[in-house]
Amino acid sequence: APQLPPTVQTGVGHVVSALTTLLHDIEDAKKRRAEREAAEDREEDDDEEEEEYGDIGDDCDHEDDADQMDSVLAKLSQMEGMAWDDIFGDDDDDDEEFTSPIDDVDELLFFAESFQAVQQALSPEQLALLSGAMPPAQQQQLQQLLQHVPQRANEVAQKKALEAAAKANG
């Protein structure tokens, strides 16, 4: 295996330590985002239920309903002949539709592949120095991240298979 340049060898421990912390933080952020999205979905379901069944004890003024209906009908008559996108287009979702080639790269899998390449390029003595330069807490985080790699690889493969199947089915 090719050797890393001496300047790179001296800094590899710091780089791996910083990347370990960063990946750990990314994984935590992903978990928090998933939890937040699940909570938002539950709130949306509750709101939809409330809209469908109404609030208990909701005192409606029927005259206000008639005024609202007239307003809606007037708006609909103004929209006659307009394209669907002009009426219901949502420009807020444009950011979510943007994709780039890096979107398909999983951070953890990329790190694991890179870390394995570094391990292969270093001698056993250098690997001992690398692991010795990391605080025990970061060594533990690194081991946890690397143990999660097979599961993540499986998840990514399943996701790609589902996307390919959906694309094939149109």
Side-chain angles (χ1 to χ4, degrees):
Q3 291 292 320
L4 293 173
T7 55
V8 174
Q9 289 178 9
T10 58
V12 166
H14 297 291
V15 171
V16 171
S17 180
L19 287 174
T20 300
T21 301
L22 178 64
L23 283 170
H24 187 266
D25 292 347
I26 288 172
E27 293 298 312
D28 285 346
K30 284 182 177 182
K31 288 177 187 174
R32 286 192 307 270
R33 182 178 62 197
E35 291 170 358
R36 186 177 61 243
E37 287 174 353
E40 288 173 358
D41 287 346
R42 286 191 299 272
E43 287 176 13
E44 287 177 10
D45 290 345
D46 291 346
D47 290 345
E48 288 173 6
E49 216 172 89
E50 186 176 304
E51 287 177 12
E52 184 175 339
Y53 299 112
D55 271 341
I56 296 177
D58 189 13
D59 295 328
C60 293
D61 186 2
H62 295 291
E63 288 180 24
D64 289 341
D65 288 343
D67 290 341
Q68 287 178 344
M69 183 62 73
D70 290 338
S71 172
V72 169
L73 290 174
K75 286 180 184 178
L76 286 174
S77 66
Q78 292 173 353
M79 292 181 203
E80 189 174 334
M82 293 177 71
W84 180 265
D85 289 339
D86 293 338
I87 298 171
F88 296 104
D90 189 6
D91 295 332
D92 294 340
D93 293 336
D94 288 346
D95 293 337
E96 294 176 15
E97 293 176 17
F98 179 77
T99 59
S100 75
I102 200 167
D103 290 344
D104 295 332
V105 176
D106 185 87
E107 308 88 16
L108 182 58
L109 297 180
F110 182 79
F111 171 77
E113 291 170 7
S114 301
F115 186 70
Q116 287 175 345
V118 168
Q119 285 179 315
Q120 292 171 357
L122 297 176
S123 67
E125 298 83 28
Q126 292 168 329
L127 281 174
L129 287 173
L130 171 68
S131 63
M134 293 176 63
Q138 284 186 324
Q139 288 179 11
Q140 184 179 8
Q141 284 180 346
L142 177 62
Q143 290 304 316
Q144 289 172 347
L145 288 169
L146 294 176
Q147 288 173 355
H148 188 63
V149 168
Q151 178 185 349
R152 177 66 66 83
N154 188 27
E155 291 170 358
V156 169
Q158 287 178 349
K159 181 180 176 184
K160 286 183 180 181
L162 288 173
E163 288 173 355
K167 198 174 201 180
N169 292 335

